[in-house]
Amino acid sequence: MTVKDLSHHLSNESKGRQPSALKTAFKYFGQENMVFLGGGLPLSDYFPWDKITAHSPAPPFSNGIGAKPTNEKDTTVTEVGKVKELDYDVPLGRSLQYGHTEGQVELTDFLKTHTEIIHKIPNKEWDLVLSVGNTQSWEATLRTFCNPDDTVVVEEYSFSSAIETVRALGISMAPVEMDDEGIIPEKLDQLFNEWDSPKPKPKLLYTISTGQNPTGSSLSNERREAIYKIASKHDFIIVEDEPYYFLQMADYEKGASEPPAVTHEQFLAGLVKSFSSLDVEGRVVRLDSFSKVLAPGTRLGWIVAQKKLLERFIRLHEVSIQTPSGFSQTLVAGLLGRWGQDGYLDWLIGLRKEYTIKRNFTMNSLLKHMPKDVVAFEPPMAGMFFIVKIDASKHPKFATEFGKDPIKVETAIYEKSLEQGCLLIPGSWFKSPNFKEHGSTEIFFRGTYAAVALEKLDLGLSRFGKAIELEFGL
Amino acid sequence: MTVKDLSHHLSNESKGRQPSALKTAFKYFGQENMVFLGGGLPLSDYFPWDKITAHSPAPPFSNGIGAKPTNEKDTTVTEVGKVKELDYDVPLGRSLQYGHTEGQVELTDFLKTHTEIIHKIPNKEWDLVLSVGNTQSWEATLRTFCNPDDTVVVEEYSFSSAIETVRALGISMAPVEMDDEGIIPEKLDQLFNEWDSPKPKPKLLYTISTGQNPTGSSLSNERREAIYKIASKHDFIIVEDEPYYFLQMADYEKGASEPPAVTHEQFLAGLVKSFSSLDVEGRVVRLDSFSKVLAPGTRLGWIVAQKKLLERFIRLHEVSIQTPSGFSQTLVAGLLGRWGQDGYLDWLIGLRKEYTIKRNFTMNSLLKHMPKDVVAFEPPMAGMFFIVKIDASKHPKFATEFGKDPIKVETAIYEKSLEQGCLLIPGSWFKSPNFKEHGSTEIFFRGTYAAVALEKLDLGLSRFGKAIELEFGL
């Protein structure tokens, strides 16, 4: 259970970061009988916000998390002024001031307790630091660990924006093969065993392990354990980018609409184990976010890792983002403080219900509209995305006009579906650089059920099914 | 008046950034009769904030910007829900959603008009993009223009955190000599004319041109014009980091306390010309911020530059910060929209008044407490900082115990002042890397009048004066 020293994985940029010399003076700040004329802080009297009040839905969200409140009991009112009044509030006089790069203590305390409840991280040297969302957390992770000469292992299909972040920094990518359940552990081990590039072995594995983007796949507990062992064997760091972790859904049963109700205990017991929950050695960097759980515009995420590595993130944040918006911190801490850990679980269970309904509806709609002979699909267990897999070789022109190129079939279907009035994203757009073709004739399209009304979703999928039928002459 | 193509100054990282392939699909988003299943947006129904109300002081701030409201007329109430109700409001349904990397249009429109009013930028190809404050804007600027092999010109005394940002990226620094009015233009020209490093000539000049940190100096209009010409001659970019621009104060007169009242026209006419206001060629990158004007915790700044360069910042923001907090954008846009451009000028004039009072008090206090024979000081025209200059050679032990080393005198005074119960920051702590000693025996200490109550400031300066007297045996 000893945390490993992983400082040999730090980038040159990160190794070179030093705390400001001014810090040595700041120890005198607030000291009795010391007039401190050292810092350039504006006076909080001049912050032009005296009080903020926010209206939010209240636990247990009996009518659903999206329901309009019908009475006072349905509403949580967060009211915060410049001065501290409640234990869990971050007063505006502090959140709107400089300081506290790690995040305001009221919010980080809530998140630490939450992390304990959910992940029960086995090493005791973990901590967390706030970020402005997982996009920035991932960029900060790359800057902290990778030199331009380094390589990152990525899922062979991955989130284009995350890939673009790596590419622009001149960092190489080595894709690892996936199946319906995500990364295949044996292929990952093989990648490291057979490493024959002149570049050093990859330092990081980047994985969207739950509700993967774009495939919708989720790694099973068994695979996560296997992957952790491989990380330990080959000494790399696992970066789990987990914005969809709490969009885990109930099992799908054909024709089902709503999921059965669950208690807090059942909900917690049903969650897949995160890599953090397996992290005895301190080699997991977990990127967590409120973007899919509360709202993207909070621009509020947090990075969980062993303390010694986190200290390097803090040094980077001091000279880049500093800390997330004080309004975001005050409003989120105020809301979570009033809801409490139990109320927040109620919210997450409510979210699970909404996503399960949408996922179930999507599966039922796909069963109705997709031509069975050429199309396959699995119910995603988490996240916002589903994929429609198509056997390109069944296209009548596959061997002739398309020269056995599945991508040509993909393009033809994409164009046909646009004509029909429905857009799903072609799977090949998510191929990681250095993608290794494995000779499959299967192509796929990524769809989402997250932000679409159910009738419209059904209309779209009927059009998509029609497009495939027209293309394949069914 | 033609804007120059400065793309040869872009860093490798920045040159390589590409927009996401997914963007080509997003043109179909919102198109009539298209069911768009392409994006992973959460439904705004599930954002747990239905309405936010903020209470702020109201223009014209007759009782001062820090006054508690005494009646309804003194209060501006910003109330924003999920759906748009007022022209200048950013509804929560949009500000808390993904998208709009450049910033919400209501806020950027306000800032563009404000920029027109203040800077009247002579080239017409400028635009602006939001950032999470100047610390991040400066980091983004470095990432956009500099490779590790590059050099940046910095003021010989500069803000330690800005310097640390440069250093950790492996970028070199060439300091330019300053006097009481900041950068000496001739020295800057000389630096480029006599450049003999094997490294390429510097691409950027980094200057805190108004209320400089740490020296409190401000460049005169004449110097700015001269520096702009030098930039044009040697083809470099001027980065003006201007958090203190609106902390410009009225002229100091001995014994004065409050500044005379000014009209909007007088206020605008009295402001020093920014580099942006001289920018016919599009070679200025202006870093602007609400941190000192509204509150640091807004984490809201903006970058003004020619469009072609700004596009590179947007590509970087897409894969890092994305965009500032939606709460910050909604609350700041809501406040500024209600105040209007005129109300905002009232606020800035109110801020000027407060800072002038503090600066005047400080000067009067320094006159009272500083031993005249060894100490000198000038009233700063802008910003939060003043400096106390001391002639180290007048220390009785200068030639003997201190071996003619001014820094030893600085250390002795620092320690003595801590004993007396007052802390100002030693000037040598702000020396840029590669600082060239010019044989002066003058040392200085940086103090601030920003966040300290007046009586305490007076007490602190009396202690500091005492410390100098004790050291110098006066």
Side-chain angles (χ1 to χ4, degrees):
Chain A
M1 289 270 197
T2 321
V3 163
K4 297 265 191 228
D5 180 355
L6 297 175
S7 52
H8 56 286
H9 280 323
L10 292 171
S11 66
N12 296 337
E13 173 183 321
S14 184
K15 275 182 197 151
R17 294 196 180 280
Q18 290 168 8
S20 165
L22 292 183
K23 292 238 156 154
T24 63
F26 269 86
K27 69 181 177 215
Y28 295 104
F29 183 70
Q31 197 168 301
E32 208 187 340
N33 202 30
M34 176 66 72
V35 180
F36 188 85
L37 304 179
L41 302 181
L43 205 61
S44 62
D45 290 357
Y46 305 154
F47 300 165
W49 289 278
D50 296 325
K51 190 177 72 178
I52 295 180
T53 310
H55 292 258
S56 306
F61 316 104
S62 320
N63 298 317
I65 57 167
K68 291 265 159 251
T70 52
N71 58 48
E72 256 186 45
K73 272 177 59 188
D74 290 344
T75 302
T76 297
V77 180
T78 302
E79 189 166 296
V80 187
K82 279 189 182 167
V83 178
K84 193 169 181 74
E85 292 190 5
L86 290 171
D87 268 358
Y88 42 73
D89 276 342
V90 187
L92 294 175
R94 172 147 50 81
S95 70
L96 295 183
Q97 188 52 281
Y98 283 115
H100 309 277
T101 305
E102 301 84 343
Q104 297 289 342
V105 66
E106 294 83 354
L107 185 54
T108 54
D109 275 357
F110 187 97
L111 289 172
K112 282 179 199 173
T113 305
H114 167 76
T115 302
E116 280 291 0
I117 293 171
I118 305 295
H119 304 292
K120 300 177 185 66
I121 303 176
N123 83 71
K124 292 303 156 214
E125 292 178 39
W126 68 272
D127 205 341
L128 59 85
V129 57
L130 297 190
S131 77
V132 301
N134 285 17
T135 305
Q136 183 260 319
S137 298
W138 174 226
E139 193 220 10
T141 303
L142 288 167
R143 306 261 190 214
T144 298
F145 293 108
C146 296
N147 298 319
D149 202 36
D150 282 328
T151 304
V152 169
V153 178
V154 294
E155 288 152 327
E156 60 176 356
Y157 292 96
S158 191
F159 177 39
S160 351
S161 171
I163 293 297
E164 177 54 26
T165 313
V166 187
R167 214 192 44 70
L169 301 191
I171 299 164
S172 300
M173 282 169 271
V176 58
E177 203 176 321
M178 306 164 77
D179 62 15
D180 285 349
E181 293 165 52
I183 294 170
I184 305 169
E186 294 71 27
K187 298 285 181 182
L188 181 65
D189 191 36
Q190 194 182 344
L191 190 157
F192 279 87
N193 284 331
E194 297 174 3
W195 188 257
D196 64 352
S197 158
K199 296 190 176 193
K201 283 192 181 187
K203 282 175 172 177
L204 306 181
L205 164 66
Y206 173 76
T207 169
I208 307 166
S209 25
T210 315
Q212 206 257 355
N213 186 358
T215 64
S217 63
S218 296
L219 287 168
S220 64
N221 286 338
E222 293 68 31
R223 287 208 178 177
R224 289 173 199 244
E225 280 165 23
I227 290 168
Y228 192 86
K229 273 188 197 146
I230 296 165
S232 194
K233 176 177 158 194
H234 295 290
D235 184 31
F236 60 85
I237 290 169
I238 299 172
V239 183
E240 53 174 351
D241 183 4
E242 283 284 64
Y244 312 111
Y245 185 77
F246 284 113
L247 308 185
Q248 293 182 51
M249 296 165 284
D251 289 343
Y252 172 67
E253 283 175 47
K254 200 171 153 178
S257 56
E258 289 204 10
V262 289
T263 64
H264 288 184
E265 291 66 33
Q266 288 167 329
F267 172 72
L268 292 173
L271 292 170
V272 71
K273 276 189 191 308
S274 66
F275 281 109
S276 285
S277 75
L278 306 170
D279 192 20
V280 288
E281 296 184 333
R283 61 171 69 254
V284 175
V285 175
R286 181 177 174 81
L287 315 184
D288 239 317
S289 165
F290 285 123
S291 286
K292 310 297 194 290
V293 171
L294 299 179
T298 59
R299 295 286 83 223
L300 208 50
W302 60 102
I303 304 167
V304 180
Q306 58 155 298
K307 280 176 193 167
K308 215 172 147 185
L309 296 177
L310 269 188
E311 185 269 344
R312 295 286 93 191
F313 283 88
I314 295 167
R315 292 286 92 76
L316 169 58
H317 284 186
E318 280 171 351
V319 293
S320 54
I321 62 158
Q322 293 203 2
T323 191
S325 153
F327 291 123
S328 288
Q329 294 195 60
T330 284
L331 286 166
V332 170
L335 181 69
L336 295 177
R338 281 163 184 77
W339 281 359
Q341 297 287 348
D342 275 336
Y344 187 42
L345 288 182
D346 286 335
W347 178 261
L348 296 173
I349 290 169
L351 199 66
R352 173 182 183 270
K353 181 177 166 185
E354 299 296 332
Y355 275 86
T356 304
I357 291 171
K358 283 168 186 288
R359 192 273 322 266
N360 288 355
F361 182 91
T362 304
M363 289 300 115
N364 297 336
S365 178
L366 285 169
L367 281 169
K368 202 163 52 177
H369 298 302
M370 290 300 125
K372 280 172 202 61
D373 290 346
V374 297
V375 170
F377 45 87
E378 303 284 338
M381 296 313 298
M384 297 181 151
F385 302 111
F386 63 94
I387 61 171
V388 176
K389 295 181 284 186
I390 300 164
D391 185 349
S393 70
K394 294 197 175 160
H395 194 288
K397 295 179 192 162
F398 182 67
T400 55
E401 199 177 310
F402 292 148
K404 295 194 176 177
D405 182 356
I407 299 303
K408 291 195 172 139
V409 180
E410 189 189 70
T411 307
I413 296 172
Y414 180 62
E415 285 166 3
K416 189 71 77 187
S417 64
L418 289 180
E419 284 168 29
Q420 292 294 313
C422 177
L423 188 149
L424 282 81
I425 308 281
S428 70
W429 295 15
F430 299 99
K431 280 184 183 176
S432 298
N434 310 315
F435 183 93
K436 286 194 189 64
E437 299 294 342
H438 17 82
S440 163
T441 59
E442 189 176 275
I443 55 172
F444 74 89
F445 285 81
R446 186 197 79 173
T448 179
Y449 39 79
V452 195
L454 297 183
E455 323 80 70
K456 218 173 166 186
L457 188 64
D458 191 59
L459 176 66
L461 291 178
S462 76
R463 287 172 177 180
F464 194 69
K466 184 76 189 294
I468 298 171
E469 283 167 6
L470 286 170
E471 261 306 316
F472 283 72
L474 299 170
Chain B
M1 288 270 199
T2 323
V3 162
K4 298 264 191 229
D5 180 356
L6 297 175
S7 52
H8 56 284
H9 280 323
L10 292 171
S11 67
N12 296 337
E13 173 183 322
S14 184
K15 277 183 195 149
R17 293 196 181 280
Q18 290 167 8
S20 164
L22 291 183
K23 292 239 155 154
T24 64
F26 268 86
K27 68 182 176 211
Y28 295 103
F29 182 71
Q31 198 167 301
E32 208 187 337
N33 203 31
M34 177 66 73
V35 180
F36 188 85
L37 304 177
L41 304 180
L43 206 60
S44 61
D45 290 358
Y46 305 154
F47 300 165
W49 290 278
D50 297 324
K51 191 177 71 178
I52 296 180
T53 310
H55 293 258
S56 305
F61 317 105
S62 321
N63 299 317
I65 58 168
K68 289 267 160 248
T70 53
N71 58 47
E72 255 184 46
K73 271 176 60 189
D74 290 344
T75 302
T76 298
V77 180
T78 302
E79 188 165 298
V80 187
K82 279 189 182 169
V83 177
K84 192 170 181 74
E85 292 191 4
L86 289 171
D87 268 359
Y88 42 73
D89 276 342
V90 187
L92 294 174
R94 171 146 52 80
S95 69
L96 295 182
Q97 186 54 278
Y98 283 115
H100 311 277
T101 307
E102 301 85 343
Q104 298 289 340
V105 66
E106 293 83 355
L107 184 55
T108 54
D109 275 357
F110 188 97
L111 289 172
K112 281 178 198 172
T113 305
H114 167 76
T115 302
E116 280 291 359
I117 293 171
I118 305 297
H119 305 293
K120 300 179 186 66
I121 302 177
N123 83 71
K124 292 305 157 212
E125 291 178 39
W126 69 272
D127 205 342
L128 58 84
V129 57
L130 297 190
S131 77
V132 301
N134 285 16
T135 305
Q136 183 260 319
S137 297
W138 173 227
E139 192 220 9
T141 303
L142 289 167
R143 306 261 191 214
T144 297
F145 293 109
C146 297
N147 298 318
D149 201 34
D150 283 328
T151 303
V152 170
V153 178
V154 294
E155 288 152 328
E156 61 176 356
Y157 292 96
S158 191
F159 177 39
S160 354
S161 171
I163 293 297
E164 176 54 27
T165 313
V166 187
R167 214 192 43 72
L169 301 191
I171 299 164
S172 299
M173 280 169 273
V176 58
E177 202 176 321
M178 305 164 77
D179 61 17
D180 284 349
E181 293 165 52
I183 295 171
I184 305 169
E186 294 70 27
K187 298 285 183 183
L188 181 65
D189 191 36
Q190 194 183 346
L191 191 156
F192 279 87
N193 284 330
E194 296 173 2
W195 188 257
D196 64 352
S197 158
K199 295 190 177 193
K201 282 191 183 186
K203 283 176 172 178
L204 306 181
L205 164 66
Y206 173 77
T207 169
I208 308 167
S209 23
T210 316
Q212 207 256 356
N213 185 358
T215 63
S217 63
S218 295
L219 286 168
S220 64
N221 286 337
E222 292 68 32
R223 286 207 178 178
R224 288 173 200 243
E225 280 166 23
I227 290 168
Y228 191 86
K229 272 188 199 146
I230 296 166
S232 196
K233 176 178 160 194
H234 295 290
D235 184 31
F236 61 84
I237 290 169
I238 299 172
V239 183
E240 53 175 351
D241 183 3
E242 283 283 66
Y244 312 112
Y245 185 77
F246 284 112
L247 307 186
Q248 294 181 50
M249 296 166 285
D251 289 345
Y252 171 68
E253 284 174 47
K254 201 171 153 179
S257 57
E258 290 205 10
V262 287
T263 63
H264 288 186
E265 290 66 32
Q266 289 168 329
F267 173 71
L268 292 172
L271 291 170
V272 72
K273 276 188 189 308
S274 66
F275 280 109
S276 284
S277 75
L278 306 171
D279 192 20
V280 289
E281 296 184 333
R283 61 170 71 254
V284 175
V285 175
R286 180 177 174 82
L287 315 183
D288 240 317
S289 165
F290 286 122
S291 286
K292 309 297 193 291
V293 171
L294 300 179
T298 58
R299 296 286 82 225
L300 208 50
W302 61 102
I303 303 167
V304 180
Q306 58 155 294
K307 280 177 193 167
K308 216 172 147 185
L309 296 178
L310 268 189
E311 186 269 344
R312 295 285 93 192
F313 282 87
I314 294 168
R315 292 287 92 75
L316 169 57
H317 285 186
E318 280 171 353
V319 294
S320 55
I321 62 158
Q322 293 203 3
T323 192
S325 154
F327 290 123
S328 288
Q329 293 196 61
T330 284
L331 287 166
V332 170
L335 181 68
L336 294 177
R338 282 162 185 77
W339 282 359
Q341 296 287 349
D342 275 336
Y344 187 42
L345 288 183
D346 287 335
W347 178 261
L348 296 173
I349 291 169
L351 199 64
R352 174 182 183 270
K353 181 178 167 183
E354 299 296 331
Y355 276 86
T356 304
I357 291 171
K358 283 168 187 288
R359 192 271 323 264
N360 288 354
F361 182 91
T362 304
M363 289 301 116
N364 298 336
S365 176
L366 284 169
L367 282 169
K368 200 163 55 181
H369 299 302
M370 291 301 125
K372 278 172 203 61
D373 291 344
V374 297
V375 169
F377 46 86
E378 303 285 336
M381 295 313 298
M384 296 180 152
F385 303 111
F386 64 94
I387 61 171
V388 175
K389 295 181 284 185
I390 300 162
D391 186 348
S393 70
K394 295 197 173 158
H395 194 289
K397 297 180 192 159
F398 183 66
T400 54
E401 198 177 311
F402 291 148
K404 297 194 177 178
D405 182 356
I407 299 302
K408 289 196 173 139
V409 179
E410 189 189 71
T411 306
I413 297 172
Y414 181 63
E415 284 166 5
K416 189 71 75 186
S417 64
L418 289 180
E419 283 168 30
Q420 293 294 314
C422 177
L423 188 149
L424 282 81
I425 309 280
S428 70
W429 294 15
F430 298 99
K431 280 184 183 175
S432 299
N434 310 314
F435 183 93
K436 286 193 189 64
E437 299 294 343
H438 17 82
S440 162
T441 58
E442 189 177 275
I443 55 170
F444 74 89
F445 285 81
R446 187 197 77 173
T448 179
Y449 40 77
V452 194
L454 297 183
E455 322 79 73
K456 217 172 166 184
L457 189 64
D458 192 58
L459 175 66
L461 291 178
S462 75
R463 288 173 176 179
F464 194 69
K466 183 77 188 292
I468 297 171
E469 283 167 6
L470 286 171
E471 261 306 315
F472 283 71
L474 300 171

